[in-house]
Amino acid sequence: MYQINFHHPSNAFFIGIGGISMSGFAELLHSLGFHISGSDIMESKITEHLEQLGIPVHYEQVRENITKDLDFIVYTAAIHPDNPEFIAAKEQNIPMIDRAELVGQVMKNYQDAIAVSGTHGKTTVTSMLSHILIAANLDPTISIGGVLKAIHGNMRIGKSGYFLTEACEYTNSFLKFHPKFGIILNIEEDHMDFFKDIDDIRHSFHQFALLLPKNGCLIINGNIDHLEEITKDVACPCVTYGLGKKCYNYTAENITYDKLGCASYDLIINGRIEERITLRVMGDYNIENSLAAIACARHLFLHIPEIQTGFSAFYGADRRFEYKGNVGGVTVIDDYAHHPSEIKASLEVAQKYPHKHLWLVFQPHTYTRTKAFLKEFAMVLSTAEHIILADIYAARELDTGEISSLDLKHEIELLNGDVSYFPSFGEIEDFLLEHCVKDDLIITMGAGNVVEIGDDLLGNSKIEE
């Protein structure tokens, strides 16, 4: 495997440079003096930002972009071997590494590298920790799989020994990382186009835990099934957190909620009440998320007032039950949930949010996930008052015709759910404009481009008062 010499900046090309993570690390290497260029299939705000930094971006992926002066190539998991640039790099014997390997090599340059893993909640906990580290003036380098207003994007380049990133299990990419502190938020079935079954997924998370050094720490949700299978043979201390009747190192008691469903609670560390914590985000799952962040912060020797200052400035990550606006008295929320467990948690939050009627616009994400969890999706979606389905967002997959949103609609109807399907965003918007009234709540949900529906509605004044 090619090893980057960070002390002697060289010439690197990023295939798929417009990706949320790729762009951040391209910017990081650029700041270290590397000569960076790259390609993507379309122009975006991300690529415009890179160009403003002086990073050339090609908007056509052709073999001519791969020149002999390149020292190494970085590519994303979405790039296939038949990509013209990928083929050209192979033919010219230019060293190639994937994005995860790059992240892993970057992490070796930091004394305190933190990796946040789990099937759900990575972006939120990484964002919470970002606020805490910034509040403590630790000047961290941060990579987030979304946009965080506090750092004006998805990457913050600091000058200290602190590095914070999300660690995704898909294709086992997080096994190429080199963290000192690791967080495991939950372990559930997902990405079944790669993993065989839940045991295969659990094995990967165990391997991730084994990466941690003796002087590090594993922070793990104490409610994970058969926890000892994940923590066995781990070299470092293991710290648990969670809600419920089990004994955890970090837990919450005497939980109360404000009128928007944001929680306050007594923080309990090793059975002792430490402090009253107040959050600016909604949902019981965010109490658990905050406990994970607190446990990590405490092992970085941060104090409760610094942690609370970070929480006080955190109103949620981009696209995580995000308030988008209000039009005609109708509130529009956008949420990234695309797994049955995530949808369930978001709908529980929605029930506590002030509204007359709830309209859930759901865009399934990938054909394999929709097929694997069809009945689970139907079960949880049917609990919403009104469901509107968009077509499946393909992402990295091809439509084989085996599954569609109409199949999901049929399953929801079997459960007596109030469900509609429309093949275009325009038809969905027209339907909402016709049926929504003042004090209703619209949630656009999914990991694709369903957010565009809410944005369009907020620019429309036809909703009745």
Side-chain angles (χ1 to χ4, degrees):
M1 180 63 66
Y2 178 78
Q3 297 296 313
I4 302 170
N5 188 336
F6 290 92
H7 299 291
H8 293 86
S10 52
N11 192 357
F13 187 91
F14 282 61
I15 305 177
I17 198 169
I20 193 73
S21 179
M22 286 281 279
S23 62
F25 283 93
E27 183 175 344
L28 176 60
L29 291 189
H30 174 75
S31 73
L32 296 174
F34 285 76
H35 183 270
I36 304 298
S37 57
S39 67
D40 214 288
I41 57 175
M42 65 178 64
E43 192 172 353
S44 66
K45 290 182 179 179
I46 290 175
T47 59
E48 288 175 6
H49 172 68
L50 293 174
E51 289 180 301
Q52 290 170 359
L53 294 174
I55 298 175
V57 179
H58 302 273
Y59 293 105
E60 187 177 8
Q61 293 185 332
V62 294
R63 59 185 302 116
E64 288 77 18
N65 294 337
I66 307 303
T67 54
K68 293 183 178 180
D69 61 330
L70 293 173
D71 295 297
F72 66 97
I73 305 277
V74 183
Y75 63 96
T76 72
I79 300 301
H80 299 291
D82 60 354
N83 179 281
E85 293 175 340
F86 191 97
I87 294 171
K90 286 289 187 181
E91 290 176 351
Q92 298 181 45
N93 293 315
I94 300 173
M96 302 180 70
I97 61 174
D98 63 23
R99 181 203 63 84
E101 177 62 32
L102 170 63
V103 177
Q105 292 195 34
V106 167
M107 293 178 83
K108 291 181 180 180
N109 296 314
Y110 294 86
Q111 180 177 339
D112 292 299
I114 307 161
V116 182
S117 75
T119 313
H120 325 293
K122 293 184 291 292
T123 297
T124 296
V125 173
T126 305
S127 298
M128 285 179 169
L129 272 170
S130 297
H131 276 267
I132 292 169
L133 297 180
I134 292 170
N137 296 314
L138 295 185
D139 193 21
T141 295
I142 299 167
S143 172
I144 299 181
V147 175
L148 182 63
K149 294 180 178 63
I151 63 174
H152 309 292
N154 64 302
M155 173 66 78
R156 181 188 192 276
I157 301 172
K159 296 181 179 179
S160 72
Y162 294 93
F163 179 86
L164 171 63
T165 188
E166 294 181 35
C168 182
E169 74 276 14
Y170 184 58
T171 69
N172 283 330
S173 63
F174 65 172
L175 299 186
K176 298 178 181 179
F177 289 9
H178 297 278
K180 180 178 178 181
F181 300 94
I183 300 175
I184 300 179
L185 302 171
N186 36 62
I187 304 175
E188 294 186 29
E189 283 188 318
D190 199 7
H191 302 301
M192 303 314 292
D193 56 328
F194 176 77
F195 292 109
K196 297 176 184 177
D197 50 32
I198 186 62
D199 289 333
D200 191 20
I201 298 171
R202 288 174 58 84
H203 173 75
S204 289
F205 277 96
H206 180 224
Q207 294 300 307
F208 171 75
L210 292 176
L211 296 175
L212 301 171
K214 290 182 180 179
N215 65 339
C217 182
L218 173 64
I219 295 143
I220 186 165
N221 188 329
N223 290 312
I224 291 173
D225 290 339
H226 304 294
L227 190 68
E228 68 282 355
E229 295 178 359
I230 309 300
T231 60
K232 68 180 179 181
D233 301 324
V234 173
C236 64
C238 298
V239 173
T240 62
Y241 73 90
L243 298 176
K245 296 181 180 180
K246 295 182 182 179
C247 293
Y248 313 96
N249 298 113
Y250 288 77
T251 190
E253 294 181 356
N254 301 319
I255 301 169
T256 59
Y257 300 90
D258 66 15
K259 62 182 180 180
L260 290 179
C262 299
S264 295
Y265 61 85
D266 289 339
L267 172 64
I268 312 297
I269 303 179
N270 295 323
R272 176 181 173 181
I273 297 178
E274 291 290 330
E275 188 64 80
R276 187 76 181 168
I277 300 294
T278 299
L279 303 178
R280 304 296 185 192
V281 287
M282 295 168 279
D284 288 348
Y285 64 92
N286 272 322
I287 299 175
E288 289 197 289
N289 287 338
S290 70
L291 291 171
I294 291 170
C296 184
R298 292 291 284 170
H299 280 78
L300 294 172
F301 304 105
L302 300 184
H303 301 294
I304 297 298
E306 295 168 318
I307 295 169
Q308 184 61 73
T309 298
F311 285 152
S312 297
F314 179 65
Y315 289 86
D318 183 57
R319 299 209 63 197
R320 272 67 179 180
F321 210 85
E322 180 187 9
Y323 173 82
K324 300 291 290 187
N326 187 288
V327 57
V330 175
T331 298
V332 178
I333 298 286
D334 183 60
D335 196 277
Y336 194 71
H338 55 284
H339 183 280
S341 295
E342 296 169 344
I343 296 168
K344 180 176 183 292
S346 294
L347 288 176
E348 287 173 355
V349 172
Q351 294 307 318
K352 297 179 181 178
Y353 198 93
H355 66 273
K356 180 183 292 183
H357 301 290
L358 171 63
W359 303 84
L360 176 62
V361 183
F362 181 65
Q363 181 187 45
H365 189 264
T366 73
Y367 301 103
T368 53
R369 182 181 285 115
T370 306
K371 183 178 180 180
F373 299 113
L374 183 66
K375 292 189 181 298
E376 290 86 347
F377 276 126
M379 182 68 69
V380 68
L381 288 169
S382 66
T383 65
E385 185 177 1
H386 305 290
I387 310 111
I388 302 101
L389 297 176
D391 277 328
I392 297 171
Y393 188 81
R396 55 188 174 267
E397 298 181 346
L398 296 176
D399 183 4
T400 63
E402 296 180 67
I403 193 77
S404 75
S405 290
L406 287 174
D407 296 305
L408 180 55
K409 179 176 183 288
H410 175 68
E411 292 292 333
I412 294 172
E413 287 173 336
L414 291 177
L415 298 170
N416 297 315
D418 178 18
V419 58
S420 303
Y421 159 77
F422 299 98
S424 72
F425 282 4
E427 290 169 282
I428 292 174
E429 291 164 19
D430 289 342
F431 179 82
L432 291 169
L433 289 169
E434 180 180 350
H435 290 85
C436 290
V437 296
K438 184 180 178 183
D439 296 327
D440 279 2
L441 174 63
I442 296 172
I443 303 177
T444 56
M445 184 176 288
N449 61 342
V450 67
V451 61
E452 295 172 6
I453 292 175
D455 292 340
D456 288 345
L457 289 173
L458 290 171
N460 196 307
S461 59
K462 294 181 181 178
I463 294 178
E464 293 184 9
E465 290 278 0

